[in-house]
């Protein structure tokens, strides 16, 4: 199956040939070159293993975790089709609420499309929306990726309701010029109303010890804010480096384990675990880019979650420069519009390109512009772990 070529792709096949591209690379060199210890806001030099990644220009690899639940099989198929690239690795998970037949059908689809770099988790995890089982599932996916693939650079988590806004070639192209120590994670210590609704309540997730999904239990007692570390919260969508996730899984310091135990009784723990670990670690707190790489639209009154995106949001999505967006209703016509106008996916499907082939399109310029803004002097350092 082949993907139709984009007519303008030749204009962007050579990296950084435009004036904006040259300025972008200069900005990266000025902003992100590893500094002496006195130049870092924490007063200590980042992990030497992170510094060694600076200056890489090879095409990176992404490790994707795509998650869904009962009835999401078709959405996961469409999503993995839209984000598939031979350079990357993919792990697909339908939680325990989905049937074995749904998982088997997903595995058959992967085999039929000859996606040799895509894995389907056969032993499903039970995932409760508000409990720590969602975080446990993400860490499970990370651990599998660390074991199965040794050469990926960034881990990206997507749900069945996410969708890309540009081809993988564009994302790989721009990320090939980024230092490999950057972690894309939206975060803030100004937790405001979440202090009373997230941090102080104590919850118990039955999903930790039952095999059937149910709501969380609320304890009568409430707890004070921690004194030995500072809480950070933000988006559950992340793009995290292999080095940082090795730190979270293997934990050569005790911080990741301590925080994992703390977040076991935390409402919606994926909104805070990685954020708090990275911002309380001297080795990693200066590696954050305060963005989740997604376009989303929130209800300004309720602020309880992103709203469904429609065709009316298409122009704003594109202009954002974000490589992904959420949330989308299943089979909404805006997805067809994205396929046709941004991804150039048609009935012929996608092309299995050689590993070293990346052909960016005009969309890469939008991502380049977003990165230049995020990594500029007004945004990069001033918005790290504040």
């Amino acid at each position: 199956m082949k993907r139709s070529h984009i007519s303008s792709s030749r204009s962007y096949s050579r990296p950084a040939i435009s004036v904006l591209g040259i300025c972008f690379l200069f900005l990266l060199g000025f902003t992100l070159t590893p500094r002496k210890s006195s130049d870092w806001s924490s007063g200590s030099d980042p992990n030497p293993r992170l510094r060694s990644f600076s200056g890489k220009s090879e095409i990176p690899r992404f490790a994707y975790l795509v998650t869904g639940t009962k009835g999401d099989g078709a959405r996961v198929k469409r999503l993995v089709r839209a984000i598939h690239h031979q350079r990357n690795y993919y792990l697909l998970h339908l939680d325990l609420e989905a049937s074995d037949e749904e998982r088997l059908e997903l595995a058959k689809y992967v085999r039929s499309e000859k996606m040799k770099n895509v894995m389907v988790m056969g032993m499903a995890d039970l995932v409760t929306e508000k409990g720590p089982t969602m975080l446990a599932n993400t860490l499970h996916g990370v651990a599998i990726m660390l074991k199965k693939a040794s050469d990926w650079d960034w881990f990206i988590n997507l749900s069945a309701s996410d969708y890309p806004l540009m081809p993988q070639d564009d994302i790989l192209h721009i990320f090939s010029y980024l230092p490999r120590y950057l972690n894309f994670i939206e975060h803030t210590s100004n937790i405001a109303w979440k202090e009373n609704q997230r941090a102080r309540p104590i919850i118990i997730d039955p999903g930790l010890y039952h095999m059937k999904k149910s709501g969380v239990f609320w304890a009568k007692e409430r707890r004070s804010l921690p004194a030995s570390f500072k809480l950070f919260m933000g988006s559950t969508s992340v793009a995290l480096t292999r080095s940082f996730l090795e730190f979270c899984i293997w934990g050569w310091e005790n911080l990741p384990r301590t925080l994992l135990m703390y977040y076991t009784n935390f409402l919606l723990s994926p909104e805070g675990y990685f954020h708090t670990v990275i911002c309380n670690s001297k080795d990693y707190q200066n590696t954050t880019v305060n963005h989740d790489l997604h376009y989303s639209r929130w209800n300004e009154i309720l602020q309880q979650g992103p709203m469904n995106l429609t065709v009316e949001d298409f122009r704003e999505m594109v202009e954002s420069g974000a490589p992904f967006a959420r949330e989308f209703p299943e089979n909404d016509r805006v997805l067809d519009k994205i396929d046709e106008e941004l991804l150039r996916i048609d009935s012929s499907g996608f092309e299995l390109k050689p590993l070293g082939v990346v052909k960016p399109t005009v969309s890469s310029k939008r991502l380049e512009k977003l990165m230049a803004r995020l990594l500029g002097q007004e945004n990069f350092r001033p918005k790290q772990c504040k």
Side-chain angles (χ1 to χ4, degrees):
M1 303 176 73
K2 295 183 179 180
R3 172 183 289 174
S4 58
H5 293 286
I6 300 176
S7 60
S8 61
S9 63
R10 292 185 179 181
S11 301
Y12 298 94
S13 59
R14 295 184 180 181
I17 59 175
S18 66
V19 175
L20 179 58
I22 295 173
C23 293
F24 177 57
L25 294 178
F26 174 78
L27 176 63
L28 288 180
F30 177 78
T31 308
L32 298 173
T33 301
R35 318 302 176 101
K36 297 179 180 179
S37 59
S38 59
D39 293 332
W40 293 81
S41 60
S42 68
S44 60
D45 208 15
N47 193 320
R49 287 175 298 176
L50 299 181
R51 293 205 311 270
S52 67
F53 286 124
S54 180
K56 263 193 175 182
S57 60
E58 296 89 353
I59 302 171
R61 296 177 190 265
F62 299 127
Y64 281 96
L65 173 64
V66 179
T67 58
T69 187
K70 181 180 180 180
D72 281 340
R75 303 177 80 180
V76 171
K77 289 179 188 177
R78 181 169 188 165
L79 176 55
V80 74
R81 178 173 177 259
I83 62 174
H84 187 266
H85 194 284
Q86 285 290 85
R87 289 197 63 82
N88 300 331
Y89 302 100
Y90 302 86
L91 179 62
L92 314 182
H93 177 258
L94 294 177
D95 68 26
L96 200 58
E97 193 173 31
S99 66
D100 290 338
E101 288 74 17
E102 287 180 278
R103 276 182 286 277
L104 181 60
E105 178 64 27
L106 187 58
K108 287 180 178 178
Y109 171 77
V110 169
R111 286 196 299 269
S112 68
E113 296 293 343
K114 299 180 180 180
M115 300 178 180
K116 296 182 179 180
N117 55 343
V118 180
M119 297 176 287
V120 178
M121 289 179 64
M123 297 295 290
D125 296 331
L126 181 64
V127 177
T128 304
E129 181 181 356
K130 294 183 178 181
T133 45
M134 184 179 295
L135 174 60
N137 173 244
T138 302
L139 292 172
H140 186 191
V142 171
I144 291 174
M145 285 297 193
L146 289 174
K147 180 179 180 180
K148 296 293 186 180
S150 61
D151 56 348
W152 52 268
D153 299 283
W154 280 280
F155 170 89
I156 299 175
N157 63 327
L158 298 176
S159 71
S161 60
D162 292 347
Y163 212 68
L165 298 178
M166 58 187 62
Q168 285 296 294
D169 280 5
D170 296 303
I171 308 174
L172 290 165
H173 171 68
I174 296 301
F175 270 69
S176 67
Y177 292 96
L178 299 182
R180 303 296 161 93
Y181 58 74
L182 291 179
N183 288 282
F184 292 84
I185 180 167
E186 181 191 76
H187 59 280
T188 180
S189 62
N190 182 20
I191 60 178
W193 59 269
K194 290 186 177 181
E195 176 181 332
N196 286 323
Q197 296 190 23
R198 300 279 196 276
R200 294 189 181 276
I202 301 174
I203 62 102
I204 299 174
D205 186 356
L208 294 173
Y209 53 87
H210 279 173
M211 295 295 291
K212 188 175 181 179
K213 183 182 292 189
S214 63
V216 299
F217 298 145
W218 297 74
K220 294 181 179 180
E221 296 79 8
R222 294 168 66 87
R223 56 184 171 184
S224 60
L225 295 182
S228 60
F229 52 87
K230 189 175 184 179
L231 291 180
F232 288 80
M233 296 185 189
S235 171
T236 58
S237 300
V238 294
L240 301 174
T241 63
R242 183 185 182 93
S243 175
F244 173 65
L245 290 173
E246 288 175 342
F247 174 66
C248 291
I249 296 295
W250 296 336
W252 47 88
E253 294 178 9
N254 207 34
L255 178 66
R257 283 180 289 271
T258 300
L259 292 179
L260 186 58
M261 295 179 69
Y262 175 80
Y263 275 97
T264 300
N265 304 113
F266 198 99
L267 189 67
L268 293 168
S269 55
E271 291 185 356
Y273 175 71
F274 290 120
H275 317 69
T276 302
V277 172
I278 203 167
C279 285
N280 283 274
S281 169
K282 290 183 179 180
D283 284 341
Y284 293 98
Q285 61 190 190
N286 293 304
T287 67
T288 61
V289 180
N290 205 332
H291 198 277
D292 66 357
L293 300 182
H294 277 65
Y295 171 86
S296 56
R297 186 167 59 87
W298 290 72
N299 186 308
E300 296 181 359
I301 299 176
L302 297 178
Q303 290 290 319
Q304 293 295 313
M307 301 175 63
N308 283 337
L309 299 172
T310 64
V311 171
E312 286 70 29
D313 302 298
F314 182 79
R315 181 176 178 181
E316 193 170 331
M317 277 190 278
V318 173
E319 291 178 350
S320 73
F324 306 100
R326 62 171 186 163
E327 295 181 348
F328 292 97
E330 184 174 4
N331 291 328
D332 191 90
R333 61 192 181 99
V334 68
L335 297 178
D336 296 331
K337 188 175 179 67
I338 291 172
D339 283 349
E340 180 182 353
E341 298 186 23
L342 301 181
L343 305 181
R344 297 299 197 268
I345 296 176
D346 55 26
S347 58
S348 64
F350 57 86
E351 175 185 5
L352 296 178
K353 300 177 182 178
L355 290 179
V357 175
V358 169
K359 296 181 179 180
T361 73
V362 66
S363 297
S364 68
K365 310 309 291 181
R366 295 193 292 270
L367 181 56
E368 181 179 294
K369 186 177 180 180
L370 173 64
M371 289 299 169
R373 177 171 60 83
L374 292 175
L375 301 174
Q377 294 182 356
E378 294 182 358
N379 289 304
F380 183 51
R381 297 288 176 204
K383 293 185 178 180
Q384 285 183 327
C385 296
K386 301 295 185 182

